[in-house]
Amino acid sequence: MGIKEYLDHCLNKYYIDILNKNEFILTESVIDGMGGIYRFKNSGLNFDIVNDRGIIETRISSPFSQNFYDLDLINAYLQRRNNIELEKLKFGKSDLSKRLNLDQESRLFKHCLTELKTMFNKINYKQTESELNKIGNERVKLLFG
């Protein structure tokens, strides 16, 4: 299966129904070399699904920003925001070293869509991005020292 076929398969299996039901429209489609990206948006969010050399990543952003955040980082943010007790930062045991599979990511996206729209709306997106950037820096320290 090629880059485009695998990206299409993952998009159709995990996300297309959610995107269609929430009035996302395709704004960009690029397949080039070892990668590909589909960009979608609706009135509340931007959504990307990317195939980078066979690894699928999904990420979202505010319509008021160019900064995209992967759903693993957003998951950690939501867990912290909802006061779920976390273990100390140690590789493999931290929320920041866990990866969600596409099924888990799509369920997170679907179930938290209203909350995500609020987090990334015009009033809240700068604060949300600031907090996501802090968590992202923690993840970099954890993974790369």
Side-chain angles (χ1 to χ4, degrees):
M1 190 178 302
I3 295 291
K4 181 181 182 337
E5 292 80 13
Y6 185 53
L7 184 58
D8 289 347
H9 168 76
C10 293
L11 173 65
N12 290 324
K13 182 174 182 179
Y14 296 106
Y15 289 102
I16 202 69
D17 289 338
I18 301 165
L19 295 171
N20 285 336
K21 286 178 185 173
N22 290 281
E23 300 177 351
F24 281 85
I25 57 169
L26 181 66
T27 60
E28 185 177 353
S29 172
V30 177
I31 307 296
D32 188 24
M34 296 295 291
I37 183 170
Y38 291 135
R39 290 204 145 143
F40 296 85
K41 73 176 184 176
N42 70 8
S43 62
L45 289 172
N46 297 324
F47 175 87
D48 285 0
I49 183 166
V50 180
N51 184 343
D52 184 9
R53 291 170 268 158
I55 298 173
I56 301 294
E57 181 179 289
T58 52
R59 53 194 189 195
I60 61 174
S61 81
S62 169
F64 308 101
S65 175
Q66 297 296 316
N67 300 320
F68 279 82
Y69 298 91
D70 65 71
L71 286 171
D72 292 319
L73 190 63
I74 290 169
N75 181 53
Y77 171 78
L78 290 171
Q79 286 180 0
R80 291 173 182 207
R81 184 173 162 176
N82 295 326
N83 297 320
I84 295 173
E85 189 173 324
L86 302 172
E87 300 178 44
K88 292 182 182 177
L89 291 182
K90 183 177 177 186
F91 186 75
K93 294 188 177 190
S94 167
D95 60 327
L96 298 174
S97 63
K98 303 284 188 216
R99 294 271 330 211
L100 300 174
N101 63 39
L102 287 175
D103 183 54
Q104 293 168 319
E105 284 186 4
S106 65
R107 283 188 280 129
L108 173 71
F109 185 64
K110 180 180 179 180
H111 295 300
C112 296
L113 194 54
T114 301
E115 186 173 4
L116 293 171
K117 287 178 183 177
T118 301
M119 288 168 38
F120 286 101
N121 70 20
K122 190 172 187 173
I123 296 167
N124 297 324
Y125 83 93
K126 287 183 182 180
Q127 179 65 35
T128 299
E129 286 186 354
S130 175
E131 293 174 25
L132 285 167
N133 289 334
K134 287 177 191 173
I135 295 170
N137 289 336
E138 286 181 47
R139 180 169 65 178
V140 168
K141 284 182 185 177
L142 177 68
L143 297 176
F144 303 108

